[in-house]
Amino acid sequence: MNDDRPVLLEKRGTCLHLTLNRPRALNALSHTMVRLLDEALSRAEQDESIASVLLSGAGDRGLCAGGDIRALHDDARASGRASLEFWRDEYRLNARIARFPKPYVALMDGIVMGGGVGVSAHSGIRVVTERSRVAMPETAIGFVPDVGGTRLLATAPGELGTHLALTGRSVGAADAVLCGLADHHVPARLLPALTEALGEPAGQDPSVAGIVQRFATDPPSGELAAQRDWIDDCYAADSVEEILRRLRESGVTAAEAASDELLTKSPLALKVTLAAVRRAARLDSLEAVLDQEFRVSSRAFEHPDFVEGVRARIIDKDNAPQWKPGSLAEVDDQEVARFFAPLGPGEQELGLAPEPTCTPAYGGQAG
């Protein structure tokens, strides 16, 4: 009989194996799943018989496609607040994973997007396969990268993270490693053997990292390394408008395609996303970035672009969202700044960092 629990826990030797178990929904995260993961990690941290944690997804399509977008959409339409509490717990889980004191191995096989990145890419040992497609695709639905994604993207080499944040494009194994979203490539066919090895008593190499390394191989060739010149030049601009101008005038076919792609995204989400990535680069901890992202997510949740984006891309699938405002020129700096302002009366900050502090500007660019 199939086990319908949304998160499966199995202890194999000294390894606690956590499986996201909603394969028909591409293991999309629910609030219940976030709580179960957090509880499991809390117990594992205190349990001396557990030496490591392994995270995987049920089925063969992906680790996790993100949060339950339909549930978030319905909550926003109803002017609810449940989504904010979901994000509050989810972001705290992301921070726990990043600071987890024992080896945490994430098998980022197949589709890994949004919230799926949050429960995997902050871990200590991140494994991708030839089937991996990793993305933060939020701008397509009128939202902004979260779950610590703006920090991950801000620390990618050059302007690769800005490119991925604005376009929402997915990357394969080689590019995920290049961008700092993953550490090792293991062929998908070897994942069962890797899982078994992690649950066995230590052999010649007692380290979890050493076990993973034994299964690692070179990934198939990526695309981004050869595109660094135009990406770094175009996305170094301080505004979305200037980025678009550089892309259009670059004379590079791939850059022009990226320009066309950006024009399909929410203008407001694009401008807030650029500001979020630039600001994240100057914040001194993941916790401070998550605090910032909670403010941004709270404001994006209230804006009509989120409901409209989910309707157009996921529910009706007409791919014809009516963004408000409809152009970049109509998005002013004050509206963007409002997304980063402290939450108002009756709204509780996430409060993971004592105080958001800044280091010198990343790349000399203003936020």
Side-chain angles (χ1 to χ4, degrees):
M1 186 172 71
N2 291 333
D3 193 331
D4 61 359
R5 290 175 297 167
V7 178
L8 305 180
L9 283 70
E10 180 183 5
K11 188 178 177 186
R12 300 182 179 186
T14 60
C15 180
L16 177 64
H17 186 180
L18 306 175
T19 304
L20 306 181
N21 189 38
R22 295 182 66 201
R24 286 182 293 180
L26 274 171
N27 301 316
L29 290 175
S30 66
H31 202 163
T32 295
M33 294 168 75
V34 166
R35 290 182 177 129
L36 289 171
L37 288 171
D38 190 69
E39 291 168 4
L41 291 179
S42 179
R43 292 196 302 270
E45 186 171 341
Q46 302 301 320
D47 189 340
E48 295 183 358
S49 71
I50 294 175
S52 64
V53 170
L54 174 67
L55 178 74
S56 66
D60 59 4
R61 292 196 296 161
L63 171 67
C64 175
D68 190 334
I69 295 298
R70 287 177 179 265
L72 296 171
H73 167 272
D74 292 347
D75 189 37
R77 284 195 65 187
S79 300
R81 307 297 288 177
S83 297
L84 303 187
E85 295 312 306
F86 165 69
W87 285 322
R88 189 183 301 280
D89 288 341
E90 183 184 26
Y91 298 176
R92 290 183 180 277
L93 173 64
N94 302 147
R96 177 188 284 278
I97 290 169
R99 306 302 181 207
F100 196 66
K102 300 178 181 181
Y104 180 117
V105 181
L107 302 185
M108 302 170 68
D109 183 35
I111 292 174
V112 186
M113 296 184 178
V117 172
V119 295
S120 60
H122 297 299
S123 64
I125 304 173
R126 305 161 301 175
V127 176
V128 283
T129 75
E130 74 280 4
R131 305 188 299 198
S132 294
R133 301 305 302 177
V134 184
M136 297 297 296
E138 286 78 7
T139 55
I141 57 169
F143 205 66
V144 179
D146 64 339
V147 298
T150 57
R151 181 176 177 84
L152 292 166
L153 295 169
T155 55
E159 295 296 335
L160 293 179
T162 310
H163 172 58
L164 297 183
L166 295 180
T167 62
R169 286 186 181 178
S170 64
V171 295
D175 288 333
V177 173
L178 172 64
C179 292
L181 301 172
D183 305 301
H184 306 283
H185 168 264
V186 173
R189 62 182 174 79
L190 296 182
L191 292 183
L194 171 59
T195 299
E196 184 177 348
L198 289 169
E200 293 175 347
Q204 293 181 345
D205 190 334
S207 73
V208 171
I211 293 171
V212 173
Q213 187 61 53
R214 293 207 311 266
F215 289 86
T217 65
D218 291 334
S221 298
E223 300 175 358
L224 293 180
Q227 299 177 352
R228 281 289 303 275
D229 286 349
W230 68 262
I231 288 175
D232 288 352
D233 177 63
C234 296
Y235 288 95
D238 290 331
S239 70
V240 178
E241 290 92 337
E242 177 61 14
I243 288 172
L244 279 168
R245 186 191 69 77
R246 293 187 187 186
L247 289 170
R248 286 193 298 266
E249 297 178 3
S250 67
V252 178
T253 301
E256 294 168 1
S259 170
D260 292 340
E261 195 172 347
L262 290 181
L263 292 174
T264 69
K265 314 296 184 184
S266 158
L268 179 61
L270 287 175
K271 286 201 170 185
V272 175
T273 294
L274 180 62
V277 172
R278 297 289 192 252
R279 288 171 178 247
R282 302 196 302 270
L283 292 170
D284 63 3
S285 68
L286 173 62
E287 287 80 3
V289 170
L290 289 165
D291 284 346
Q292 173 177 275
E293 290 179 347
F294 186 75
R295 292 177 176 178
V296 172
S297 295
S298 298
R299 296 296 174 246
F301 180 71
E302 299 167 351
H303 196 276
D305 272 8
F306 175 56
V307 169
E308 173 63 7
V310 177
R311 179 207 66 76
R313 306 294 192 195
I314 296 171
I315 296 177
D316 294 342
K317 298 182 180 179
D318 58 24
N319 291 315
Q322 300 300 307
W323 304 122
K324 295 180 180 178
S327 70
L328 290 167
E330 296 174 86
V331 181
D332 61 40
D333 292 342
Q334 285 187 329
E335 176 66 3
V336 173
R338 188 180 74 85
F339 280 70
F340 299 90
L343 300 179
E347 299 178 298
Q348 183 183 355
E349 298 275 359
L350 183 61
L352 285 178
E355 290 183 11
T357 56
C358 290
T359 55
Y362 171 69
Q365 293 158 341

